[in-house]
Amino acid sequence: KAGVTQTPRYLIKTRGQQVTLSCSPISGHRSVSWYQQTPGQGLQFLFEYFSETQRNKGNFPGRFSGRQFSNSRSEMNVSTLELGDSALYLCASSLTSGRANEQFFGPGTRLTVL
Amino acid sequence: QKEVEQNSGPLSVPEGAIASLNCTYSDRVSQSFFWYRQYSGKSPELIMSIYSNGDKEDGRFTAQLNKASQYVSLLIRDSQPSDSATYLCAVPPKGKLIFGQGTTLQVKP
């Protein structure tokens, strides 16, 4: 079974631009969560989508948004990029939503904001 | 108090030794706990899940959970240089995974 895929793997943008990242979960998985990883803050939860609905949201500004499609694929958008948005963005999929579900990560998208 | 705390290390052990990684958490309601391994430049990989008090063994890995003390640990027996990585503890309060800062393990040949 194929794992979680994320595209693109690398992105370079400039301040003020916007970016869209894509995630395809493991086949059969319906929940997709997004995380930001930086050396200083570690892994931080952005949001979770299940059945095209946002189920949970972390403490990030409204510039960070996401959506999920009927095939469970998800996209994350960051508008008005700031230097501090440079990070590894990780997508994780799980069978369903909820505390006990194991989450499996994709390879990540490395975003650099210049 | 942070929701999930880990000693950042580095924890250095000789090859063949037992590595012990520890994690404490603040959410008393959490029922599930996860350990991830992350190699440098790679994404986290799930290596253990534990849901009830006591020990859970999987190959060279043993996870130990003590809910009363809000403490979960990961033991790696017969440590190998390939085990050198950052180990992340994760707890899902309110349905979202909260990660510790991770413990860097170095296994020296």
Side-chain angles (χ1 to χ4, degrees):
Chain A
K1 186 181 279 190
V4 180
T5 58
Q6 291 186 247
T7 57
R9 293 292 310 278
Y10 302 91
L11 265 179
I12 298 176
K13 293 286 187 179
T14 56
R15 280 179 298 175
Q17 287 187 310
Q18 76 165 18
V19 66
T20 299
L21 312 181
S22 181
C23 171
S24 292
I26 293 169
S27 178
H29 284 198
R30 296 170 59 198
S31 173
V32 173
S33 297
W34 288 90
Y35 297 84
Q36 181 196 67
Q37 187 173 34
T38 59
Q41 298 298 317
L43 255 173
Q44 292 186 286
F45 173 80
L46 280 156
F47 29 66
E48 180 201 9
Y49 285 87
F50 176 74
S51 293
E52 301 177 65
T53 302
Q54 188 179 88
R55 286 297 185 96
N56 276 295
K57 191 176 189 306
N59 297 322
F60 279 83
R63 300 185 296 107
F64 292 81
S65 63
R67 59 177 176 168
Q68 186 180 35
F69 302 96
S70 58
N71 61 358
S72 296
R73 191 177 70 84
S74 178
E75 287 182 347
M76 189 191 104
N77 184 274
V78 188
S79 63
T80 320
L81 284 166
E82 300 176 0
L83 294 179
D85 296 334
S86 295
L88 179 66
Y89 289 89
L90 293 157
C91 157
S93 79
S94 58
L95 276 170
T96 64
S97 179
R99 293 171 182 251
N101 286 285
E102 296 177 333
Q103 295 188 18
F104 300 91
F105 283 87
T109 295
R110 174 75 61 184
L111 172 64
T112 302
V113 182
L114 302 175
Chain B
Q1 181 190 4
K2 289 184 179 179
E3 291 185 84
V4 182
E5 295 203 57
Q6 295 182 256
N7 186 325
S8 62
L11 172 66
S12 184
V13 300
E15 183 175 355
I18 296 175
S20 178
L21 306 161
N22 305 314
C23 172
T24 57
Y25 59 93
S26 60
D27 178 48
R28 292 187 171 275
V29 182
S30 288
Q31 298 292 315
S32 47
F33 306 87
F34 306 97
W35 282 99
Y36 286 82
R37 176 176 63 197
Q38 186 172 26
Y39 292 112
S40 180
K42 301 293 186 181
S43 61
E45 173 193 8
L46 180 65
I47 55 172
M48 287 288 278
S49 308
I50 185 165
Y51 302 97
S52 55
N53 271 335
D55 295 1
K56 178 183 177 183
E57 188 174 314
D58 184 0
R60 294 186 297 111
F61 298 96
T62 298
Q64 299 175 318
L65 175 60
N66 184 325
K67 290 184 180 179
S69 300
Q70 295 175 253
Y71 175 89
V72 58
S73 64
L74 180 70
L75 301 178
I76 305 175
R77 291 182 300 282
D78 187 25
S79 295
Q80 300 297 309
S82 59
D83 294 326
S84 297
T86 297
Y87 290 80
L88 298 156
C89 171
V91 178
K94 304 172 186 175
K96 57 185 182 182
L97 273 183
I98 304 298
F99 286 83
Q101 286 293 98
T103 298
T104 300
L105 173 66
Q106 297 174 347
V107 181
K108 299 193 172 182

